[in-house]
Amino acid sequence: MSSFSELWAEIAPIGRADSGGYLRFALTEPELTLRDWFRAQASVRDMTVTEDGNGNLFAWRGEPWAPGTVLTGSHFDSVPHGGGYDGPLGIVSAFLAIDAVPHDRKIGIAAFVEEEGGRFGVPCLGSRLLTGAIDPSRAAALKDRDGITFGEALGAIPSGQIVQVGQLRAVVELHIEQGIALETPVGVASAIWPHGRWRMDFTGVGDHAGTTRMADRHDPMLTFAFTVLAANKEARLAGGHATVGRVQVEPNATNAIPSLVRGWLDARAADTATLDRMVDEVVRKATERAGRDGTSLAVTPESVTPEVAFDVPLADRLSKVLNDAPILPTGAGHDAGVLSGHVPTAMLFVRNPTGVSHSPAEHASDADCEAGVEALATVLTDLS
Ligand code: GLV
Ligand code: MN
Ligand code: MN
């Protein structure tokens, strides 16, 4: 049996960039290397490995998809220069935990594809496909930044919904906590805030930076800049979160007024009504500003994920077997949230001392990760 630090050290260099963060995009070389590692871990435990035609990878103790199986696991993919714990911690912990679960129990370990939406834009793509929440042909047509489609990367049109999901006894995803609310080594999730991504295309008139009079410009960068500030203000007023962390500019020249600025709004709030109001107000203000700038704005929702309330009796049961572990909500999205509409689902969080995540600075201590493995083993034994 390996210790947490031994197993963690095996994957730590895979896909690590000079920033210290990770470039582990779905179905690219580092993620494929991690999948090979997954297969090897399954093999040393005599587990059966299957793929579901959607890019998700599974290891099974017992028959694949046997009714009553408890599924655990998480994802390998990262955001650009993200931390190493977000996702892989749930998979490494699953393999270590299963070593401590009685051998006759039916357990599955999943590595879901494209959880971050870092390559193809839609988060939790694998679990959405698995549960029928996204049309396989729409998923197949999603493009990465080089124009490669998900279908091309997968080598097929995804196969879509797997009906056996509903026969699982429970799903439990272990994940690093992504805030500072958790003060004990391990906690249990209660809910995920509703959240979504909106692509905003600001179109103006490209022109010369030196010769175009200020009064004659139709500069989409101004409308964009105003919109970023408006999003920040509306989120603060609503008690929600709004972020513009990705932007494209055309032609992206120092001495040219841009013709197009494309930005992605990530917005989240504690309830759907607040989220809708917040996004509507940002779009209203941005559209009004575009009118004044002589630019135009097109908004495309790329993914919207409803509020998730995890199974209350299951969360209470986990908290109880873990000596009254605290129960807390999160603003981060997870495959467990997508699965929760189909099977009793819960999450375990491992303490993150700084709360930083989606950044190279993301960290959890080995001692807390070991506590997470132990908690997951206790929970899997209790539920299976
Ligand atoms: C996933 O990590 C998300 O919440 O964006
Ligand atoms: Mn993440
Ligand atoms: Mn994650």
Side-chain angles (χ1 to χ4, degrees):
M1 270 197 215
S2 319
S3 69
F4 173 79
S5 55
E6 280 165 358
L7 211 53
W8 194 247
E10 290 185 14
I11 66 160
I14 302 170
R16 189 158 52 198
D18 289 344
S19 64
Y22 287 87
L23 300 172
R24 291 169 168 170
F25 303 119
L27 305 174
T28 62
E29 195 253 308
E31 207 240 11
L32 296 173
T33 304
L34 289 163
R35 286 164 175 262
D36 288 342
W37 176 88
F38 181 101
R39 287 190 185 85
Q41 290 300 317
S43 161
V44 293
R45 290 170 177 81
D46 286 326
M47 298 176 80
T48 307
V49 173
T50 65
E51 295 188 37
D52 66 351
N54 293 313
N56 302 312
L57 185 61
F58 299 90
W60 306 96
R61 181 177 280 168
E63 286 298 305
W65 296 110
T69 298
V70 178
L71 187 69
T72 185
S74 193
H75 60 96
F76 281 129
D77 65 304
S78 73
V79 300
H81 300 277
Y85 293 83
D86 178 354
L89 181 63
I91 298 175
V92 170
S93 301
F95 280 117
L96 289 168
I98 204 174
D99 292 339
V101 174
H103 268 62
D104 59 343
R105 307 301 176 87
K106 291 180 281 186
I107 309 282
I109 300 178
F112 293 107
V113 74
E114 183 69 345
E115 191 273 351
E116 299 287 7
R119 181 169 178 196
F120 297 102
V122 174
C124 298
L125 188 58
S127 52
R128 283 182 207 268
L129 281 162
L130 180 68
T131 56
I134 187 168
D135 179 49
S137 52
R138 183 187 160 217
L142 293 170
K143 285 192 178 140
D144 72 6
R145 297 177 197 203
D146 297 321
I148 299 169
T149 65
F150 179 64
E152 285 164 347
L154 193 63
I157 302 285
S159 48
Q161 192 167 10
I162 306 286
V163 290
Q164 292 97 320
V165 168
Q167 298 172 10
L168 296 171
R169 178 168 300 166
V171 171
V172 182
E173 180 176 356
L174 177 146
H175 203 279
I176 186 168
E177 160 63 349
Q178 295 171 290
I180 46 169
L182 181 59
E183 292 173 356
T184 55
V186 176
V188 177
S190 58
I192 299 179
W193 281 16
H195 55 282
R197 298 176 179 193
W198 289 263
R199 195 183 82 215
M200 302 179 296
D201 293 315
F202 300 88
T203 308
V205 179
D207 211 331
H208 196 293
T211 58
T212 314
R213 294 187 310 175
M214 296 310 279
D216 293 341
R217 299 179 178 211
H218 303 282
D219 184 349
M221 186 62 84
L222 296 184
T223 324
F224 170 73
F226 171 87
T227 303
V228 174
L229 295 177
N232 184 278
K233 180 170 179 181
E234 292 308 317
R236 285 168 186 270
L237 288 172
H241 296 165
T243 308
V244 181
R246 180 180 169 197
V247 62
Q248 284 175 355
V249 182
E250 290 177 13
N252 208 18
T254 306
N255 55 353
I257 298 162
S259 54
L260 176 87
V261 178
R262 175 172 290 150
W264 280 261
L265 172 69
D266 178 309
R268 312 184 187 215
D271 61 82
T272 305
T274 306
L275 177 64
D276 290 350
R277 260 200 319 275
M278 204 170 92
V279 174
D280 287 352
E281 193 54 14
V282 173
V283 172
R284 189 192 67 73
K285 285 185 163 179
T287 306
E288 195 253 341
R289 174 74 197 212
R292 281 189 277 139
D293 290 337
T295 58
S296 63
L297 168 62
V299 179
T300 311
E302 290 197 337
S303 68
V304 182
T305 305
E307 185 173 354
V308 170
F310 286 113
D311 190 280
V312 175
L314 184 60
D316 286 345
R317 178 169 171 169
L318 265 55
S319 168
K320 207 154 165 247
V321 296
L322 299 175
N323 303 318
D324 293 325
I327 303 180
L328 66 164
T330 179
H334 299 285
D335 294 305
V338 175
L339 287 154
S340 70
H342 303 263
V343 53
T345 299
M347 290 192 74
L348 295 180
F349 289 139
V350 171
R351 176 165 58 185
N352 176 336
T354 61
V356 173
S357 189
H358 286 187
S359 148
E362 178 189 80
H363 183 69
S365 72
D366 280 0
D368 285 356
C369 294
E370 279 157 19
V373 170
E374 203 178 308
L376 184 60
T378 301
V379 163
L380 295 176
T381 305
D382 179 57
L383 295 177
S384 59

